[in-house]
Amino acid sequence: MTVVTSRELKQQIGYAREAAKSGPVFTTHRGRPAHVPLSIEEYRRLAGQRRSLVEALSMPGLADVDFDLPRIRIETPLPDLD
């Protein structure tokens, strides 16, 4: 897995292109994951498959990616029974 900033991607597209041949290349924007350029072969492989969210999140290389979802609170109003 390779991680580059958006600026590095603009300056070194050839490096990212080569790195994508061996695995995902995560680009960050202001320190947060933003995009994942893929090789066309990997795109075709992924596009042709249907898999569960668990399978997608367990692909190699993703263990090193910080993935924090914001906590939300969903409240349902109680019905007025008067």
Side-chain angles (χ1 to χ4, degrees), residues 4-42:
V4 297
T5 65
S6 296
R7 177 173 287 167
E8 289 170 333
L9 180 65
K10 288 178 189 177
Q11 295 171 351
Q12 301 174 1
I13 191 69
Y15 168 76
R17 188 179 304 133
E18 286 300 311
K21 291 179 182 178
S22 61
V25 176
F26 292 87
T27 63
T28 61
H29 182 68
R30 296 184 181 179
R32 300 180 63 116
H35 299 91
V36 184
L38 313 164
S39 67
I40 190 65
E41 293 83 11
E42 184 67 5

Side-chain angles (χ1 to χ4, degrees), residues 35-56:
H35 299 91
V36 184
L38 313 164
S39 67
I40 190 65
E41 293 83 11
E42 184 67 5
Y43 170 78
R44 287 180 178 146
R45 186 184 73 77
L46 292 172
Q49 290 184 14
R50 300 197 113 209
R51 60 171 126 168
S52 71
L53 180 59
V54 172
E55 291 170 327

Side-chain angles (χ1 to χ4, degrees), residues 40-81:
I40 190 65
E41 293 83 11
E42 184 67 5
Y43 170 78
R44 287 180 178 146
R45 186 184 73 77
L46 292 172
Q49 290 184 14
R50 300 197 113 209
R51 60 171 126 168
S52 71
L53 180 59
V54 172
E55 291 170 327
L57 291 176
S58 65
M59 63 188 277
L62 288 183
D64 299 327
V65 176
D66 291 330
F67 185 71
D68 295 322
L69 294 175
R71 293 196 174 262
I72 61 170
R73 185 175 179 161
I74 300 173
E75 295 184 24
T76 54
L78 295 174
D80 185 10
L81 300 176

